[in-house]
Amino acid sequence: MDSHRQQSLIPSFLYSSSSSAKTLTLSTLHSDQPSLSPSLTPAMGRKSSGGFVIPAPSEPGKRIEMYSPAFYAACTVGGILSCGLTHTAVTPLDLVKCNMQIDPAKYKSISSGFGVLLKEQGVRGFFRGWVPALLGYGAQGACKFGFYEFFKKYYSDLAGPEYAAKYKTLIYLAGSASAEVIADVALCPFEAVKVRVQTQPGFARGLSDGLPKFVKAEGALGLYKGIVPLWGRQIPYTMMKFASFETIVEMIYKYSIPVPKDQCSKSLQLGVSFAGGYVAGVFCAVVSHPADNLVSFLNNAKGATVGDAVKKLGVWGLFTRGLPLRIVMIGTLTGAQWGIYDAFKVFVGLPTTGGSAPAAVPAKV
């Protein structure tokens, strides 16, 4: 099979190739006019009643149709793997960070924090709370990435190709914010139990015994006590995560790589995804850190309010306490998340995320 047939068709202008010779607008793909050049036919693939489909390189016999239920299901699974695995892997860092926020007199620095945990709880203590982290952030990742792809397409269709190209950053911001509102509803109960398990030794061993104890003490609604601060932390974080990632990756392909994205190897594309994700993660950590301190404080102290947190931590403490560790953690986390997510998309035959500006539709005469 020739090289044209091996390339996956990207039917949305949001994933259009940076090579102008190969750019097809959304309206062109859905046009029934017979004026398409024959040379484009091999790359366009087969048109079915449901739309255009993408050959999966790893499984030549299978097809994934863009924006079909299978497409969104693949993005959802990629999000589960992306967020669930990475947050579980950084549980030791998260554990030290949470305790530095709650008890800075005892956990004075990153190194001393690890020393205190090792002395008091042993090596096993570093992974306390990993089950709620895996399940909670897996559920969050499913909604975050799956709904982001949905809302990005939905808002792009509302705007139309020309305005979607002109205001693409606003679409990235709106799509990611909408997705995160839903994702945090899934995350919040797990996050509440995780913080309590990690910051109160002896409260519970993990999710199975921690969840019933939490509900008994504060009621089922207590699991959502931190939902507003969680939105305050995660929505700005996610908006920065997706919008900055899309912009950074586009700039890398535009200014640092001498060939169009569709001519780059898959390994290079995944490397770009990781690099773009890491830089985006640094911005994310700074923007969302005050709310992260609030979430940790509220979930640790029964009956605590936002006012109590501000009074105890201070405004400067809200912005800076635990920030260096969180920058390292979130930078690595976000880079790994984009790498895993795009690796899964490549595995099932989908294009990696970002890398080119949407193609504007020519004005009709």
Side-chain angles (χ1 to χ4, degrees):
M1 187 176 290
D2 58 45
S3 60
H4 289 294
R5 294 184 183 274
Q6 291 289 343
Q7 294 180 352
S8 297
L9 174 66
I10 307 175
S12 170
F13 54 88
L14 280 173
Y15 291 101
S16 61
S17 168
S18 57
S19 173
S20 60
K22 295 183 179 180
T23 298
L24 296 175
T25 64
L26 192 62
S27 61
T28 301
L29 288 174
H30 292 315
S31 172
D32 291 325
Q33 296 179 0
S35 58
L36 294 172
S37 170
S39 63
L40 293 175
T41 303
M44 289 179 63
R46 174 177 58 85
K47 182 176 181 181
S48 65
S49 58
F52 289 85
V53 294
I54 298 177
S58 60
E59 298 178 272
K62 294 188 177 182
R63 297 288 190 271
I64 293 181
E65 184 179 326
M66 289 294 287
Y67 312 118
S68 66
F71 167 78
Y72 292 116
C75 295
T76 298
V77 174
I80 292 173
L81 297 174
S82 170
C83 294
L85 296 178
T86 51
H87 276 277
T88 303
V90 299
T91 295
L93 286 173
D94 187 45
L95 189 60
V96 173
K97 185 261 304 178
C98 287
N99 281 284
M100 287 177 64
Q101 292 170 332
I102 298 303
D103 191 357
K106 183 176 181 180
Y107 299 87
K108 298 179 180 180
S109 66
I110 298 173
S111 58
S112 66
F114 277 108
V116 170
L117 285 173
L118 182 62
K119 181 179 179 180
E120 293 185 352
Q121 303 176 35
V123 175
R124 293 184 63 182
F126 288 134
F127 285 92
R128 196 170 71 250
W130 72 270
V131 174
L134 175 64
L135 297 180
Y137 283 96
Q140 185 210 38
C143 299
K144 184 197 298 277
F145 283 92
F147 280 108
Y148 173 69
E149 299 287 1
F150 171 80
F151 283 118
K152 183 167 70 168
K153 175 68 163 59
Y154 177 74
Y155 293 143
S156 297
D157 288 345
L158 287 180
E162 184 175 359
Y163 286 107
K166 187 176 182 180
Y167 300 109
K168 60 183 182 293
T169 301
L170 291 179
I171 288 174
Y172 301 150
L173 292 170
S176 56
S178 300
E180 190 60 36
V181 169
I182 300 170
D184 288 343
V185 174
L187 169 64
C188 195
F190 297 97
E191 181 74 357
V193 176
K194 178 184 75 71
V195 171
R196 187 67 60 89
V197 168
Q198 290 180 335
T199 58
Q200 293 187 10
F203 171 74
R205 295 189 306 274
L207 180 66
S208 60
D209 57 336
L211 180 59
K213 284 185 178 180
F214 194 106
V215 172
K216 184 178 181 179
E218 302 197 28
L221 291 179
L223 293 169
Y224 284 93
K225 179 178 66 174
I227 186 64
V228 174
L230 188 62
W231 277 330
R233 180 187 79 184
Q234 290 297 131
I235 291 176
Y237 165 88
T238 301
M239 293 171 72
M240 180 66 73
K241 173 180 179 176
F242 283 87
S244 61
F245 171 82
E246 299 260 16
T247 302
I248 291 166
V249 168
E250 182 179 330
M251 292 177 66
I252 290 175
Y253 282 112
K254 186 175 182 180
Y255 298 109
S256 300
I257 298 178
V259 296
K261 176 186 173 182
D262 60 355
Q263 296 179 22
C264 297
S265 66
K266 295 301 181 184
S267 59
L268 176 58
Q269 291 183 34
L270 294 176
V272 170
S273 293
F274 177 81
Y278 194 96
V279 176
V282 174
F283 295 133
C284 292
V286 174
V287 167
S288 62
H289 193 65
D292 183 65
N293 273 319
L294 285 176
V295 170
S296 295
F297 185 90
L298 293 176
N299 284 328
N300 177 69
K302 182 178 180 180
T305 65
V306 173
D308 295 332
V310 174
K311 184 182 297 185
K312 182 173 182 178
L313 301 177
V315 176
W316 180 251
L318 282 176
F319 280 86
T320 60
R321 183 171 293 175
L323 180 59
L325 177 57
R326 192 158 185 267
I327 286 177
V328 174
M329 186 180 81
I330 297 300
T332 305
L333 195 73
T334 308
Q337 285 177 353
W338 279 114
I340 293 171
Y341 179 66
D342 275 349
F344 184 79
K345 289 176 73 175
V346 168
F347 174 75
V348 299
L350 294 171
T352 58
T353 310
S356 60
V361 175
K364 294 182 179 180
V365 294

